Amino acid sequence: MAMKKPSVPFAGTAEQKEALLSVIHELQDQKGCLMPIMQKAQEIYGYLPIEVQKIISDELNVPLEKIYGIATFYSQFALNPKGRYQISVCLGTACYVKGAGDIYNKLMELLDITGGECTPDGKFSLDACRCVGACGLAPVMMINDEVYGRLSVEDVEAILAKYY
């Protein structure tokens, strides 16, 4: 099975790289520095693309596989950028039994991305979450801080249209 290429090309700046190198050089002699460096790298870039993982690997002389393993194990790390409009569909029990899975599938179809990805124009990213605390409004999705509840698959296109 071929790996899918990232939907948005890496566009790190010289300033971001300089900030990352500064963090690495500041923390590299501390025991257990890898996680804090990765956290700071994500703050700098907004996510941890393979290009950033490679810089960390090279500077710390740590295998890239170890860094990638950490980045994929911990949910705090994102391997893809987030869109200007971050869509999160609740797939917790209350939402799921009321059709949130179908809503999530419709969003993937309309945006032509899978969960965890960002559209090539950087406008939308899509993620699933387990609960947004609005079970009485199930099924629920959020776009940034805006909550949309009591949804049906038919509502999705009109909601997305507000953001184009």
Side-chain angles (χ1 to χ4, degrees), residues 74-141:
Y74 292 100
S75 62
Q76 66 180 293
F77 295 118
L79 299 181
N80 293 302
K82 298 296 179 191
R84 186 172 350 130
Y85 301 110
Q86 297 176 29
I87 303 171
S88 184
V89 179
C90 178
L91 295 181
T93 303
C95 287
Y96 193 80
V97 299
K98 291 195 173 190
D102 294 333
I103 290 165
Y104 192 67
N105 290 336
K106 184 66 174 179
L107 285 161
M108 287 192 292
E109 174 192 319
L110 291 171
L111 298 172
D112 195 27
I113 58 175
T114 61
E117 291 184 338
C118 184
T119 56
D121 61 4
K123 188 173 252 184
F124 296 100
S125 57
L126 178 63
D127 288 296
C129 64
R130 292 293 156 224
C131 188
V132 297
C135 301
L137 298 175
V140 173
M141 80 171 180

Side-chain angles (χ1 to χ4, degrees), residues 12-125:
T13 66
E15 292 80 15
Q16 287 173 315
K17 185 174 182 179
E18 186 179 315
L20 175 58
L21 292 174
S22 174
V23 165
I24 291 170
H25 296 142
E26 177 186 332
L27 300 176
Q28 69 185 5
D29 295 327
Q30 296 178 15
K31 185 175 169 99
C33 68
L34 186 54
M35 282 287 285
I37 288 171
M38 291 174 67
Q39 290 165 330
K40 287 288 189 183
Q42 183 159 285
E43 285 177 28
I44 293 166
Y45 289 92
Y47 68 117
L48 286 178
I50 197 70
E51 294 86 352
V52 171
Q53 294 175 51
K54 179 111 175 67
I55 293 169
I56 296 169
S57 171
D58 291 345
E59 291 296 316
L60 294 179
N61 199 28
V62 171
L64 183 58
E65 294 83 2
K66 180 176 182 174
I67 294 167
Y68 181 79
I70 292 169
T72 56
F73 180 80
Y74 292 100
S75 62
Q76 66 180 293
F77 295 118
L79 299 181
N80 293 302
K82 298 296 179 191
R84 186 172 350 130
Y85 301 110
Q86 297 176 29
I87 303 171
S88 184
V89 179
C90 178
L91 295 181
T93 303
C95 287
Y96 193 80
V97 299
K98 291 195 173 190
D102 294 333
I103 290 165
Y104 192 67
N105 290 336
K106 184 66 174 179
L107 285 161
M108 287 192 292
E109 174 192 319
L110 291 171
L111 298 172
D112 195 27
I113 58 175
T114 61
E117 291 184 338
C118 184
T119 56
D121 61 4
K123 188 173 252 184
F124 296 100
S125 57

Side-chain angles (χ1 to χ4, degrees), residues 1-5:
M1 185 165 121
M3 285 185 58
K4 187 173 181 181
K5 290 187 176 184

